[in-house]
Amino acid sequence: MSMNNSPNVFLDPNANRFQVNIINESHDSNETSQEDVGSDPPHYEETSFTDETHNRLRISYRPGKRELYDNFIQNGEKTEASLHPYDTHSKMYYLQTFGHNTMDPVPKIDYYRNTGSVSGNKLSRPSLLEIHEQLAKNIAVSTGSVERVANGESTAGDETAVSKEEENKSGFVKFGWVKGVLVRCMLNIWGVMLFIRLSWIIGQAGIGLGVIVILLATMVTSITGLSTSAIATNGFVRGGGAYYLISRSLGPEFGGSIGLIFAFANAVAVAMYVVGFAETVVELLKESDTLMVDESNDIRIIGTITVVCLLGISVAGMEWEAKAQVILLIVLLIAIANFFIGTVIPTNNEKKARGFFNYQASIFAENFGPDFRSGEGFFSVFAIFFPAATGILAGANISGDLKDPQIAIPKGTMLAIVITTIAYIGVAICAASCVVRDATGNINDTVVPGMSCNGSACSLGYDFSRCASQPCDYGLMNNFQVMSMVSGFGPLITAGIFSATLSSALASLVSAPKVFQALCKDNVYKGLEFFAKGYGKNNEPIRGYVLTFAIAMAFILIAELNTIAPIISNFFLASYALINFSCFHASYAKSPGWRPAFRYYNMWVSLFGALLCCGVMFVINWWAALITYAIELFLYIYVTYKKPEVNWGSSTQALYYVNALDSALALTTVEDHVKNFRPQCIALTGAPMIRPALLDITHTFTKNNGLCICCEVYTGPRKLCVKEMNSGMEKKQAWLTKNKRKAFYAAVAADSFRDGVKSLLQASGLGRMKPNTLVIGFKKDWRTAPATQVENYVGIIHDAFDFELGMIIVRISQGFDISQVLQVQEELEKLEQERLALEATIKENEFEEGKGGIRGFFRKAATLNISKHETKKESTINTMQSMHVGEFNQKLLEASTQFKKKQGKGTIDIWWLFDDGGLTILIPYILTIRKKWKNCKLRIFTGGKVNRIEEEKLGMASLLSKFRIKFADINIICDINVKPNKESWKFFEEMIEPYRLHESCKDITTAEKLKRETPWKITDAELEAFKEKSYRQVRLNELLQEHSRAANLIVLSLPVARKGIVSDYLYMAWLEILSKNLPPILMVRGNHKNVLTFYS
């Protein structure tokens, strides 16, 4: 069979997806060969990318084969998919993009959306399991679903279309970069400072330093703008402005702290701008002698009326607010243009007397250098000017109302900074080139021949020399209305002042609720959910508007804005600093998720910008800076303590990973040293909540000291095991975190329990942080368990020794597994929930009952049925409770928590019988330095000779003192090798009886057959060979009963069974008789490498 590729099968210009042409197959090799003769080389997969919205697949026909395709025309119409004439596959075959039977979807944005995305619904791609496993047969394809399936969509696509349709119908307002960002930022940056304070600043600092002041402020805002642009283009930006950008970059701790003070700063800024407007109006009323009450109260009255009007515009909707902003910008631009026009209109004598002479080189030269007065200096002048450069976040603050924040924020913000900076520098230079620093305002102060005259005005015919000795009212240094004097039409400057103040107030009035609403939606502060609700088509934060209005009104009525102003400026600067730091931090963390589309930033420049913002905070007002830091620190600690349950993939998380990785890599270069040895344990707990006591005792000597990994092995069909394992992984790690267990959870799926543990022993850990000790619970049911389980259990011990790990077997009287108790508790909780739901239903029915008539009668009947059902349910609960009384073992529950409790005064008895490198003595020492075990004293028991008791005791005391391990007593046991008493030995023999082969009592053939059938049984030869060792284990139990029955904990040297020689059941019998009827016991065996040293 040969293949001929037709390039025309899918060449539809209207296709809207990634398409690959179907390969046409022919079963007639001769015919195919003839067709291929002299034809072009074969075409392979061809792709096409187009942007059209409709997708129809066309069929290309081979010569003479059209009748074959006609069979696939249904009801006189072409099918939605291209069908192959020789195939017998189901319809699903033809619905896939690549023309063959695959569930693989093409790349699509909807697969990458978050759940609940505003811009579209999230679709779920087929799981790896669905693709990897055998394809399900007879897939039904519903009518009309062909196009969706072919495009890798699901029915959720319909929901997306519906939601978008509704969005379009509702008229959801979104702004572009000009109206949404550029206009707002320009209006917010151009404030009252431009019209009434810039001339004074340029008079103090001169043209040279004045331009530097402007450029220095611009440098701070420009760096912040670049950082904002980088963060805003690193993914979809929702509403919340500065709060959203910082919180998604640095996490809820930084975002939550700065978000609250940023929203508050914007709310108070409304009051500041409104009072600025009211003061200008009151000045006009004062000039015309039409004050209503007095200056202070008039400011309050006008401010209140203004805030109410602005609130009305804001509540009316963002569209109305945007229209108002455009009108205010036009007025502002006319006022600025009016000033520049005024500088070239020939001046008159009155203006000359006030210091305005049009453009003069002598005035430019004189005003170029600084002339600081009244204790002012460069930094004080800078501190006064800097608030005029803020406002760059006005566009970002309404990020949720922008069509495309990723384009609008960078373009609008950076262009606004450039335009406003040019305007500030232009106004400053023009004013300083036309107006002298001091002027009397008296038209008669002309130059008198023979009189001394100082200043550039002398060459222009005016003598303002007396201003050096007495205060004057005009000139750059004295008159705040220089721009009105210079302009072509003075009232337009007043209109510009109105426009600047009102636009800034309006922008702040919109920004504060938007930022606050985003903060409340994230539920960072639990008590603020009330303000998260939005209203109308634009999800307007009406409640936030009311709160902002109340704050603004309060500060207008207090009228102590001079005190609060520096703090508000520092609040804004703190947010700028954190935005810059966010950009630096995200770059420094090197997270693959940090891929901003905006490339014109540098991490070190952003860090410099953050430090610069912090420095400017202290330049403006040092005590305000300290207050800002204190408030931010308090909020940061509060949010950190509350730990909001959010995961935004912040750069803080990325940096944690980078730091951990660097530390782990650095650790690999450090050679192990005995002084730094610490137990790093694998604990075979299964699910950690199932065997809490085993985890607790392991955690006691690993907490803050070593690695602890709780391990679980899943056995059975791999697909089911992997599914169960993956679904429970996060839940079990979360349980460890919730219960403050500093441990990791790891699980493997394996064919057998032993194979799984082998994998864990070899692959767990990272670099130097690898387990060196295996901790397991004693297998209490070894006598009733299948032989394979016993073989696996003992095999794990052998494997641990093979891999040179230490071994700890823990035994407590009640056992570790509390799964049955947990199951009963879960059942009872479910029944209790059902009972409460039933009671709620009954109460609801009783509430609606007494309405009379037929309906009331039927309600009563229904209630009666429910009551009967309740009685039945209660009896079921009682039955369940009584049925599980025996199973609900209170002693088992108490035993599972015994290592959580503080141990009273008592002893930890250490039976250090064999030198294993020191692990047997190190583990109990670590326990005694823990808070729960610190009241327990160490008692040492070791073997020795009768005639050398004192020497042995002194030798052990000397060894322990060199190890710097404190002990209460040392006991030398001399009769370990004495035979145990008959009762004890009889118990041991009865215990192993079911597992003995007794081959000596049978003929050779039968004995050999039994050995083959039951290789795990204990042979007579084995029992005889290890009789002395069996005696020792039984005798040790007698000694333990005699000396350590009252101990809080026993730590005992674990006997080692030679692999392949000692049978599994004999070894389990040793462990059983050794640890029977004793307090909690740890059977420990190190890997015979030193873990203790007395060298410094």
Side-chain angles (χ1 to χ4, degrees):
M1 183 183 74
S2 64
M3 293 186 182
N4 185 23
N5 299 286
S6 174
N8 299 315
V9 176
F10 282 112
L11 295 183
D12 187 344
N14 294 322
N16 71 335
R17 57 186 175 86
F18 182 90
Q19 298 178 345
V20 181
N21 293 333
I22 288 180
I23 297 174
N24 295 324
E25 298 177 0
S26 172
H27 294 276
D28 189 349
S29 59
N30 295 329
E31 192 174 328
T32 305
S33 300
Q34 289 171 5
E35 287 176 5
D36 289 346
V37 172
S39 64
D40 293 333
H43 298 284
Y44 296 99
E45 291 184 341
E46 296 184 9
T47 61
S48 62
F49 294 89
T50 60
D51 297 326
E52 299 297 331
T53 55
H54 299 290
N55 175 27
R56 301 283 294 179
L57 306 181
R58 296 177 181 177
I59 303 173
S60 63
Y61 310 101
R62 290 183 181 180
K65 299 294 180 186
R66 176 156 188 159
E67 66 278 3
L68 294 174
Y69 289 95
D70 290 341
N71 295 327
F72 294 92
I73 307 300
Q74 301 171 357
N75 301 324
E77 294 180 0
K78 292 181 182 179
T79 59
E80 291 289 330
S82 294
L83 305 181
H84 198 288
Y86 303 114
D87 280 331
T88 57
H89 291 285
S90 64
K91 284 184 181 181
M92 195 61 170
Y93 180 92
Y94 308 104
L95 302 183
Q96 308 306 324
T97 297
F98 292 93
H100 57 84
N101 201 1
T102 178
M103 292 182 68
D104 274 340
V106 293
K108 191 178 183 71
I109 190 172
D110 293 328
Y111 295 127
Y112 297 90
R113 297 190 192 280
N114 284 337
T115 305
S117 173
V118 177
S119 55
N121 284 4
K122 175 181 173 61
L123 300 184
S124 296
R125 67 176 66 82
S127 69
L128 187 61
L129 192 66
E130 291 170 334
I131 293 171
H132 188 226
E133 294 294 324
Q134 188 175 0
L135 185 68
K137 302 212 173 163
N138 302 323
I139 299 173
V141 182
S142 60
T143 308
S145 66
V146 174
E147 186 174 351
R148 286 200 305 275
V149 177
N151 285 285
E153 295 180 12
S154 67
T155 53
D158 297 336
E159 297 172 12
T160 307
V162 170
S163 66
K164 286 182 177 176
E165 223 173 274
E166 288 176 357
E167 187 178 296
N168 292 335
K169 283 179 185 176
S170 65
F172 193 69
V173 179
K174 293 285 187 179
F175 301 114
W177 71 273
V178 175
K179 192 185 285 188
V181 181
L182 180 65
V183 170
R184 292 173 187 280
C185 288
M186 287 171 64
L187 284 170
N188 237 26
I189 295 170
W190 279 331
V192 183
M193 192 73 67
L194 175 66
F195 296 101
I196 62 175
R197 295 290 272 181
L198 188 58
S199 57
W200 177 86
I201 288 168
I202 208 71
Q204 289 277 355
I207 295 173
L209 285 182
V211 170
I212 291 174
V213 165
I214 295 170
L215 291 177
L216 183 59
T218 302
M219 182 168 68
V220 175
T221 56
S222 297
I223 294 172
T224 306
L226 293 173
S227 299
T228 304
S229 302
I231 298 171
T233 58
N234 190 53
F236 181 75
V237 178
R238 293 182 180 173
Y243 160 72
Y244 186 87
L245 298 178
I246 294 169
S247 62
R248 268 49 177 187
S249 293
L250 291 178
E253 296 85 4
F254 281 106
S257 58
I258 202 64
L260 199 60
I261 65 174
F262 186 73
F264 178 75
N266 273 287
V268 178
V270 174
M272 290 176 60
Y273 294 130
V274 166
V275 167
F277 168 77
E279 284 178 349
T280 308
V281 175
V282 168
E283 284 294 325
L284 294 174
L285 293 176
K286 192 176 175 183
E287 286 177 10
S288 58
D289 198 23
T290 54
L291 288 175
M292 290 178 282
V293 185
D294 55 55
E295 286 188 37
S296 298
N297 285 314
D298 280 12
I299 289 172
R300 292 186 177 98
I301 294 168
I302 295 168
T304 302
I305 295 169
T306 306
V307 171
V308 170
C309 294
L310 293 176
L311 180 66
I313 294 171
S314 301
V315 173
M318 289 296 294
E319 197 170 5
W320 284 96
E321 187 266 349
K323 289 176 181 176
Q325 292 280 31
V326 172
I327 293 169
L328 292 172
L329 179 63
I330 292 170
V331 173
L332 195 58
L333 290 173
I334 291 172
I336 294 172
N338 175 50
F339 167 76
F340 286 114
I341 292 169
T343 59
V344 296
I345 295 175
T347 185
N348 54 38
N349 290 334
E350 185 181 352
K351 288 185 177 182
K352 284 181 180 179
R354 294 182 178 183
F356 174 50
F357 295 94
N358 295 113
Y359 292 104
Q360 301 293 336
S362 59
I363 296 177
F364 179 88
E366 183 182 53
N367 289 342
F368 190 83
D371 184 15
F372 294 114
R373 302 179 190 175
S374 304
E376 300 293 347
F378 176 81
F379 288 109
S380 63
V381 169
F382 173 78
I384 291 168
F385 173 77
F386 184 80
T390 59
I392 60 170
L393 296 180
N397 286 340
I398 61 159
S399 52
D401 297 296
L402 300 174
K403 287 179 185 174
D404 190 348
Q406 294 186 353
I407 293 175
I409 291 174
K411 190 184 289 187
T413 303
M414 297 312 297
L415 189 57
I417 291 172
V418 171
I419 293 172
T420 52
T421 302
I422 291 171
Y424 272 127
I425 292 175
V427 170
I429 293 175
C430 289
S433 302
C434 298
V435 183
V436 295
R437 281 193 168 103
D438 298 291
T440 61
N442 188 348
I443 57 174
N444 296 319
D445 285 341
T446 55
V447 175
V448 178
M451 297 290 292
S452 62
C453 181
N454 297 317
S456 56
C458 298
S459 60
L460 301 171
Y462 280 83
D463 182 8
F464 300 139
S465 301
R466 64 187 177 92
C467 291
S469 57
Q470 64 184 51
C472 293
D473 295 329
Y474 296 96
L476 294 174
M477 303 288 280
N478 310 304
N479 183 15
F480 290 155
Q481 303 298 324
V482 166
M483 284 193 71
S484 295
M485 178 187 69
V486 173
S487 64
F489 184 61
L492 277 178
I493 299 298
T494 304
I497 294 171
F498 288 172
S499 174
T501 51
L502 292 177
S503 63
S504 297
L506 193 56
S508 296
L509 186 58
V510 170
S511 296
K514 293 281 185 184
V515 173
F516 193 59
Q517 183 186 35
L519 179 68
C520 296
K521 275 183 178 178
D522 289 335
N523 203 19
V524 175
Y525 299 99
K526 298 292 182 185
L528 301 178
E529 301 97 330
F530 176 78
F531 296 99
K533 185 174 175 59
Y535 297 87
K537 59 188 180 184
N538 266 43
N539 196 32
E540 297 290 349
I542 303 298
R543 295 173 179 178
Y545 282 131
V546 173
L547 179 63
T548 305
F549 170 76
I551 294 171
M553 279 299 302
F555 280 96
I556 288 170
L557 296 176
I558 293 170
E560 289 293 336
L561 294 180
N562 289 337
T563 305
I564 201 74
I567 299 177
I568 300 307
S569 297
N570 276 338
F571 280 1
F572 285 120
L573 273 168
S575 61
Y576 292 174
L578 276 181
I579 287 174
N580 283 310
F581 185 71
S582 298
C583 183
F584 163 76
H585 200 270
S587 303
Y588 183 74
K590 299 186 181 77
S591 171
W594 174 248
R595 303 184 301 275
F598 185 83
R599 298 294 180 188
Y600 306 103
Y601 76 96
N602 180 277
M603 59 184 285
W604 300 111
V605 172
S606 295
L607 179 62
F608 173 71
L611 297 174
L612 199 59
C613 289
C614 294
V616 170
M617 288 173 69
F618 282 95
V619 167
I620 290 177
N621 193 301
W622 65 268
W623 58 262
L626 291 177
I627 291 173
T628 304
Y629 285 131
I631 294 172
E632 190 175 336
L633 181 63
F634 170 77
L635 293 173
Y636 178 88
I637 293 170
Y638 173 82
V639 177
T640 304
Y641 176 75
K642 289 296 182 181
K643 289 182 181 175
E645 294 178 2
V646 293
N647 182 11
W648 294 325
S650 66
S651 60
T652 307
Q653 293 173 328
L655 196 61
Y656 283 157
Y657 177 84
V658 171
N659 290 339
L661 184 61
D662 289 343
S663 298
L665 289 170
L667 196 60
T668 59
T669 63
V670 179
E671 293 185 10
D672 288 333
H673 193 281
V674 64
K675 284 197 295 184
N676 293 322
F677 176 87
R678 60 199 66 222
Q680 304 199 99
C681 299
I682 277 189
L684 296 185
T685 59
M689 62 284 289
I690 299 299
R691 295 177 180 83
L694 183 61
L695 171 61
D696 289 338
I697 189 63
T698 309
H699 186 255
T700 304
F701 53 78
T702 60
K703 181 182 178 183
N704 298 328
N705 188 52
L707 180 69
C708 180
I709 306 176
C710 300
C711 295
E712 185 170 11
V713 178
Y714 289 86
T715 57
R718 178 170 294 182
K719 184 168 34 171
L720 295 176
C721 285
V722 170
K723 186 177 180 181
E724 186 182 354
M725 179 176 71
N726 291 339
S727 63
M729 195 79 74
E730 287 187 10
K731 178 186 173 185
K732 289 162 186 174
Q733 185 63 56
W735 185 90
L736 289 170
T737 305
K738 182 182 176 183
N739 288 273
K740 298 180 180 178
R741 297 290 176 266
K742 294 186 177 180
F744 298 97
Y745 172 78
V748 292
D751 295 332
S752 70
F753 182 69
R754 184 177 179 183
D755 288 342
V757 176
K758 275 184 184 177
S759 301
L760 289 166
L761 293 177
Q762 294 177 87
S764 294
L766 186 69
R768 295 285 182 193
M769 292 186 295
K770 288 185 72 69
N772 53 33
T773 307
L774 174 64
V775 182
I776 60 175
F778 178 72
K779 188 168 181 61
K780 197 178 178 184
D781 64 342
W782 67 274
R783 282 186 276 185
T784 57
T788 52
Q789 287 189 15
V790 177
E791 182 185 357
N792 281 338
Y793 182 83
V794 177
I796 287 166
I797 299 172
H798 290 309
D799 294 336
F801 291 143
D802 285 344
F803 296 133
E804 296 189 341
L805 268 71
M807 187 75 212
I808 300 176
I809 300 176
V810 188
R811 183 174 186 179
I812 58 176
S813 58
Q814 298 296 326
F816 292 106
D817 192 342
I818 62 167
S819 54
Q820 287 186 349
V821 176
L822 294 177
Q823 190 176 352
V824 171
Q825 284 180 339
E826 190 177 342
E827 288 175 5
L828 292 175
E829 283 174 8
K830 283 181 182 177
L831 289 171
E832 180 65 17
Q833 287 174 359
E834 287 180 18
R835 187 182 68 79
L836 292 172
L838 201 61
E839 284 182 359
T841 306
I842 292 168
K843 284 179 182 177
E844 188 178 340
N845 280 273
E846 286 176 353
F847 178 73
E848 294 179 356
E849 204 172 60
K851 293 182 181 178
I854 295 172
R855 292 173 67 188
F857 172 77
F858 282 116
R859 281 197 186 94
K860 275 189 176 179
T863 307
L864 198 61
N865 288 333
I866 290 171
S867 300
K868 287 178 182 176
H869 184 62
E870 182 199 18
T871 308
K872 184 179 177 183
K873 204 74 178 175
E874 281 181 351
S875 66
T876 306
I877 292 170
N878 292 332
T879 306
M880 284 290 294
Q881 286 175 337
S882 59
M883 188 172 66
H884 288 296
V885 163
E887 296 178 28
F888 194 85
N889 192 328
Q890 192 62 31
K891 287 185 177 179
L892 182 58
L893 267 182
E894 288 177 3
S896 70
T897 60
Q898 63 181 308
F899 296 125
K900 287 182 182 176
K901 300 172 184 174
K902 188 171 182 178
Q903 305 295 317
K905 288 186 177 181
T907 63
I908 298 176
D909 287 1
I910 306 168
W911 289 70
W912 194 11
L913 305 177
F914 312 109
D915 195 327
D916 59 351
L919 187 65
T920 307
I921 199 77
L922 181 63
I923 293 295
Y925 166 73
I926 294 173
L927 288 177
T928 58
I929 62 176
R930 303 300 187 193
K931 191 182 291 183
K932 291 185 177 69
W933 294 85
K934 68 178 183 179
N935 292 328
C936 293
K937 306 295 183 184
L938 297 183
R939 290 199 305 171
I940 314 298
F941 294 84
T942 188
K945 297 177 182 177
V946 179
N947 58 349
R948 288 180 53 84
I949 290 178
E950 290 304 319
E951 290 86 341
E952 298 280 359
K953 189 179 286 189
L954 286 171
M956 179 57 70
S958 174
L959 179 62
L960 293 175
S961 63
K962 285 183 177 179
F963 287 148
R964 302 169 304 283
I965 293 176
K966 294 179 180 180
F967 56 90
D969 192 16
I970 294 176
N971 293 278
I972 307 299
I973 308 298
C974 304
D975 51 352
I976 293 176
N977 292 324
V978 174
K979 282 187 179 181
N981 62 48
K982 290 180 180 180
E983 290 79 9
S984 300
W985 181 248
K986 185 180 179 183
F987 177 85
F988 178 77
E989 286 185 321
E990 288 174 355
M991 183 172 59
I992 64 172
E993 180 61 31
Y995 315 107
R996 291 187 62 182
L997 192 65
H998 290 294
E999 78 279 7
S1000 58
C1001 302
K1002 300 176 178 65
D1003 60 82
I1004 296 174
T1005 307
T1006 307
E1008 290 298 326
K1009 183 181 178 183
L1010 286 173
K1011 281 183 183 179
R1012 285 195 302 272
E1013 290 175 355
T1014 56
W1016 45 269
K1017 284 200 170 184
I1018 305 168
T1019 65
D1020 293 341
E1022 178 192 357
L1023 193 59
E1024 186 62 33
F1026 294 103
K1027 195 168 189 179
E1028 291 297 324
K1029 202 164 186 178
S1030 299
Y1031 279 156
R1032 188 193 306 155
Q1033 313 312 323
V1034 179
R1035 176 59 182 159
L1036 276 172
N1037 182 260
E1038 292 177 349
L1039 293 169
L1040 286 163
Q1041 297 283 354
E1042 180 184 344
H1043 295 283
S1044 298
R1045 190 64 189 260
N1048 294 53
L1049 181 71
I1050 299 171
V1051 181
L1052 171 70
S1053 291
L1054 174 71
V1056 177
R1058 291 194 178 275
K1059 190 167 58 171
I1061 299 176
V1062 178
S1063 63
D1064 299 335
Y1065 276 91
L1066 181 58
Y1067 186 60
M1068 289 303 299
W1070 287 352
L1071 299 183
E1072 172 73 35
I1073 197 66
L1074 189 62
S1075 57
K1076 189 172 181 61
N1077 297 329
L1078 290 170
I1081 183 168
L1082 272 62
M1083 292 176 276
V1084 181
R1085 176 66 72 142
N1087 62 358
H1088 286 243
K1089 293 179 181 178
N1090 288 350
V1091 300
L1092 293 170
T1093 182
F1094 47 80
Y1095 295 107
S1096 59

